[in-house]
Amino acid sequence: ASAKYIPLIFVIHTTIQVIATYLLLKMLPGNPNVTYPWTLDEAKLLMEGLQGYAQSHFWVIFAFHGTCFFYLQTWCIPGTIFFNLMGGLFFGLSLGVPICLFYNGTGAFMAYLLSKYFGEGMTEVSFLKKRFEQVKKLIEENRVNLFWYLTFLRLVPFSPNWAMNISYPHLGISPLMFLPTVFIGLTPWNYVSTSAGLIVYQLTSKSDTFPMEMYVRLCIIALFFLIPPVARAIMNKMQAAKKLEETKKGQDAAEERDTLLPNGVKKEQQKALFSRSHLHLLIA
């Protein structure tokens, strides 16, 4: 289908989201003033305004959090980190981590499906084309170890997840490959960011949510997912070298057999003996 339907789908989803948010907040007494957070300070104000309802109106807050998170992740809109924080603050780690991971994964898969069925020509858009070519090159270079490499890319904190979500369907990445790598790869990120929600009021900037040492740890975890493909590459090289050596030995043996007569004497030796005998006869 043509990409021209994407704006229409976006408008429809946005309208549904606005209506759902309005109806959900109308269920809360006091009509709290809620605005979409673009900064950490705005996110804190939002959480302060809703925290008092987290227990008395649990399902309303649960639905509000889920629909907002899913909407942002589906359309690759920045700000899901604030809803990770909200998940940790309102629901704790035992519930907050799995539901944030679920919204993160299903929202990414929805972006994948939208791109697959309505994103024809999307990768040719000027500001997307460069990203698409970068991802395409990486995928083609690691096609043999695709599962490990896709999971590695999700684990690396600096990877452009939104670009991967919309480009993978056009690179031959099936849903069966996409979904497990998303959920496995995004688990550490969701755990860390949701855990930060427990101390959200102590945070002063987004960098406090994800300090540099945490980036380093995630990179180390990501490197572990390169061990299987690296080990496989080393084994393949060793097997190829062994096979080449065996082939060479076989060729040498075949050449050795070709130089032997039935009596076991080499052809060169037989020719030399014949030449000497012939020379003796001529002299005599």
Side-chain angles (χ1 to χ4, degrees):
S2 173
K4 66 183 180 182
Y5 295 110
I6 290 290
L8 176 61
I9 298 172
F10 175 74
V11 170
I12 292 173
H13 191 180
T14 302
T15 302
I16 293 173
Q17 179 61 36
V18 170
I19 294 173
T21 300
Y22 173 78
L23 293 177
L24 286 170
L25 295 178
K26 287 290 287 184
M27 298 179 185
L28 301 177
N31 294 323
N33 183 24
V34 174
T35 58
Y36 175 76
W38 292 101
T39 66
L40 180 60
D41 289 334
E42 292 176 354
K44 287 181 180 180
L45 290 175
L46 173 62
M47 285 181 262
E48 286 176 2
L50 296 178
Q51 190 172 7
Y53 303 103
Q55 291 184 347
S56 59
H57 296 77
F58 174 84
W59 290 109
V60 175
I61 300 300
F62 186 86
F64 168 77
H65 174 263
T67 54
C68 289
F69 202 137
F70 180 75
Y71 170 78
L72 296 176
Q73 187 70 359
T74 296
W75 295 103
C76 308
I77 300 173
T80 54
I81 178 65
F82 300 132
F83 288 89
N84 277 95
L85 296 173
M86 188 184 297
L89 179 65
F90 290 169
F91 310 123
L93 294 184
S94 58
L95 179 60
V97 172
I99 63 172
C100 287
L101 179 60
F102 176 77
Y103 299 141
N104 232 317
T106 53
F109 186 55
M110 185 58 65
Y112 170 98
L113 293 177
L114 285 169
S115 179
K116 180 177 181 179
Y117 293 110
F118 300 99
E120 182 181 350
M122 183 181 296
T123 55
E124 295 299 320
V125 178
S126 57
F127 74 94
L128 292 176
K129 189 172 183 178
K130 185 178 179 180
R131 287 286 190 183
F132 177 76
E133 292 299 328
Q134 290 174 344
V135 175
K136 182 179 180 180
K137 182 180 179 181
L138 292 172
I139 295 300
E140 292 302 325
E141 290 175 351
N142 297 273
R143 181 70 66 175
V144 177
N145 301 292
L146 203 53
F147 171 80
W148 300 104
Y149 188 68
L150 294 184
T151 306
F152 165 78
L153 287 179
R154 294 289 182 178
L155 283 165
V156 174
F158 307 103
S159 294
N161 279 282
W162 66 270
M164 290 187 278
N165 295 340
I166 64 176
S167 63
Y168 280 3
H170 307 289
L171 295 172
I173 308 299
S174 69
L176 293 178
M177 181 66 72
F178 181 87
L179 285 170
T181 57
V182 166
F183 281 104
I184 295 173
L186 293 182
T187 296
W189 162 267
N190 278 276
Y191 178 81
V192 173
S193 55
T194 305
S195 299
L198 301 176
I199 56 169
V200 65
Y201 297 122
Q202 301 175 29
L203 305 177
T204 57
S205 66
K206 287 178 69 174
S207 60
D208 293 338
T209 306
F210 227 87
M212 184 53 64
E213 57 266 26
M214 193 57 65
Y215 280 102
V216 174
R217 290 179 185 177
L218 279 183
C219 289
I220 293 173
I221 295 173
L223 290 175
F224 277 101
F225 278 81
L226 290 183
I227 293 177
V230 170
R232 178 181 295 179
I234 294 173
M235 289 180 63
N236 288 340
K237 286 185 178 180
M238 293 174 62
Q239 290 175 354
K242 185 178 180 181
K243 188 175 181 180
L244 181 63
E245 185 179 354
E246 292 175 350
T247 302
K248 187 176 180 181
K249 286 182 179 179
Q251 290 175 347
D252 292 342
E255 291 175 359
E256 182 72 18
R257 286 194 300 270
D258 290 341
T259 61
L260 293 177
L261 294 172
N263 59 4
V265 180
K266 288 187 176 181
K267 291 180 179 179
E268 289 79 1
Q269 294 175 345
Q270 183 68 24
K271 288 180 181 179
L273 290 172
F274 177 78
S275 298
R276 290 174 186 174
S277 300
H278 186 63
L279 182 60
H280 286 304
L281 289 173
L282 289 174
I283 295 172

